[in-house]
Structure formats: C-alpha cells, structure tokens
Amino acid sequence: MANESRPCPCDIGDRFDYESRGQEVQAEHIKAYICKPPASTDKAVIVIHDIFGWQLPNTRYMADMLAAHGYIAICPDFFVGQEAWKLSNDWATFNDWLKTRNAGKIDKEVDVILKYLREQCGAKKIGVIGFCWGGAAVQHLMLKNPHLKTGVSLYGVIRFFEDRSSLLHPTFFIFAEKDEHIPLEQVTLLEQKLKQNCKVDYEVKIYPGQTHGFVHRKREDINPQDKPYIEEGRKDMINWLNKYL
C-alpha cells in the first residue's frame, strides 16, 4: 500500500450531520436500512457501504438520494453484526480486521436481500452501487451475480479483475484522479482488460483533482472547489441507473 500507517483506501472526509428519512428492517439474519420513494416502483438499488458500515449517515444520505430519484434503496449490514471500522482503531490492526470482512464473500447476504426486495417490496429490476469496500463488492457482483441488472462501483479497490474481466452487466466505474490508494496505472490496466474482454456496456471515468471518497464523503458547502465534481459524480451515477434499470 502507498501508506503503510493507513493501509486503507478510506479517509472519512466530512461526516454528515444527517437525519435519515428511511427505516431499519430485518431481512432474515441481516439488518438493513431502507428508504422508499413516494410513488410505487419495481426498481431497487442495493447500496453497499464502505468500511465505516451501514449506519454511516453519509451512506444513508446516498440511499435517500436514490429514493428521491424513484428507487427503493436498501443498505444492508454486510458486516452482519461485526463492528464497522472506527477512526479511533489502530490502523496497524486494519489488515487483520479486514480478513473477516471480505468484499468478495457477500453472496449469501446478497441473495437474502434480493429475495427481500422481490417478496417484500415488489422489486423486479435491481441494481447495485458501492463505495470503496462496497465498490470492490460491486466489481465482484458484476462478474458473478446473474440476478442484478447493473452496477456502479465508486472508487472500489481494483481487486477482482486480475484473472477475469468479462462483466455480466453494464457497469460504471468512478475513480478519483488523486486517489492515493488506487493509482491511475491500475485504472488504465482495468480499462485495457475491459476493452479486450468485456461484451457488455461499461464506462470508466476519472474525476479531475478528486481524492478517494469524494462522491459521498465530501460536503459541497465546505468543499466548494470540489462541488462540481461531487455533483457530477452523483448525477452520473443516477443517469447510469436510469439507463439500465
């Protein structure tokens, strides 16, 4: 890693002081936050949190934003009761902490949530978005899960493209130009592999001057120089979902 004392590609950025609009529900063994739009819909988006977990106000803000755009948005606890990372934790212990929270081993939980969305919410078209740890989880799901329609991976560490890059569904990749933990060479290599092997629609976009977490971790009102890119990233994400759901 580029920074051995902080081996995670997450920087908390601005923690929103945000009261969420949705509610918490139980789907079999998983707790989840869900927010529904005013009008009924059969379109849903699974929101996969970063290392700071399903209760982070920033992530719930993004789920509520999806609901405001007409989607049932659900953010499950993909750590399944295990503690989320805290800024007070010792970063030297991070890699051990991460071993029990593998972004590529969430298939059982995703199946439970897909069933919940279909049976309890009437969802028929389901997509997924994820941030950082969740962005890597989206990459995994886009390569493996046949039941999702589309995905948006936001600054997900590029872990799942070493040996295969044939995406099953249209996928949008959001990266930051100045992300210390996802070098641009990795992004370039990802693009090359997708170009060679991918048979579905995809897009890889790098946002100039931005750092890791910018779409959900920075506040427009206190990061005015980043505001256009924060808004652009969110708009691009919504437009992609609109196109494929």
Side-chain angles (χ1 to χ4, degrees), residues 40-224:
S40 65
T41 180
D42 64 354
K43 298 177 181 179
V45 179
I46 300 170
V47 179
I48 307 184
H49 54 74
D50 59 18
I51 62 166
F52 297 104
W54 72 296
Q55 294 175 309
L56 186 75
N58 302 47
T59 307
R60 295 191 173 192
Y61 175 82
M62 299 301 288
D64 290 359
M65 188 178 75
L66 289 169
H69 281 85
Y71 295 99
I72 300 160
I74 189 165
C75 179
D77 175 15
F78 281 106
F79 294 160
V80 198
Q82 295 184 100
E83 278 199 22
W85 184 256
K86 295 186 179 72
L87 284 180
S88 56
N89 290 6
D90 179 0
W91 284 97
T93 67
F94 179 76
N95 286 331
D96 285 335
W97 176 91
L98 193 61
K99 283 173 188 170
T100 59
R101 296 159 181 81
N102 187 330
K105 293 184 177 175
I106 60 167
D107 301 292
K108 187 169 79 168
E109 285 70 39
V110 169
D111 287 345
V112 168
I113 296 302
L114 287 169
K115 182 183 175 196
Y116 178 88
L117 287 170
R118 289 191 199 104
E119 294 181 359
Q120 304 296 321
C121 306
K124 293 176 181 169
K125 300 172 186 172
I126 303 171
V128 61
I129 68 166
F131 308 94
C132 181
W133 185 91
V138 169
Q139 296 166 11
H140 164 73
L141 292 169
M142 290 296 97
L143 289 165
K144 183 173 181 185
N145 192 300
H147 305 295
L148 293 158
K149 296 286 185 192
T150 189
V152 181
S153 172
L154 295 98
Y155 26 85
V157 181
I158 303 167
R159 298 178 52 186
F160 298 105
F161 291 93
E162 279 157 25
D163 52 358
R164 53 186 292 228
S165 45
S166 23
L167 296 163
L168 298 177
H169 316 285
T171 308
F172 184 47
F173 298 86
I174 287 177
F175 292 108
E177 182 191 22
K178 297 189 173 176
D179 191 327
E180 291 179 19
H181 303 275
I182 307 176
L184 291 181
E185 309 89 76
Q186 285 186 16
V187 179
T188 303
L189 188 59
L190 169 66
E191 283 191 279
Q192 288 171 355
K193 288 183 179 178
L194 291 172
K195 195 172 183 180
Q196 288 165 2
N197 303 309
C198 192
K199 296 187 171 56
V200 297
D201 196 11
Y202 68 88
E203 184 177 345
V204 178
K205 185 168 178 178
I206 299 165
Y207 294 73
Q210 295 311 292
T211 53
H212 191 88
F214 73 100
V215 176
H216 79 304
R217 286 273 182 67
K218 288 187 174 180
R219 280 176 49 189
E220 307 95 309
D221 55 344
I222 56 175
N223 296 276

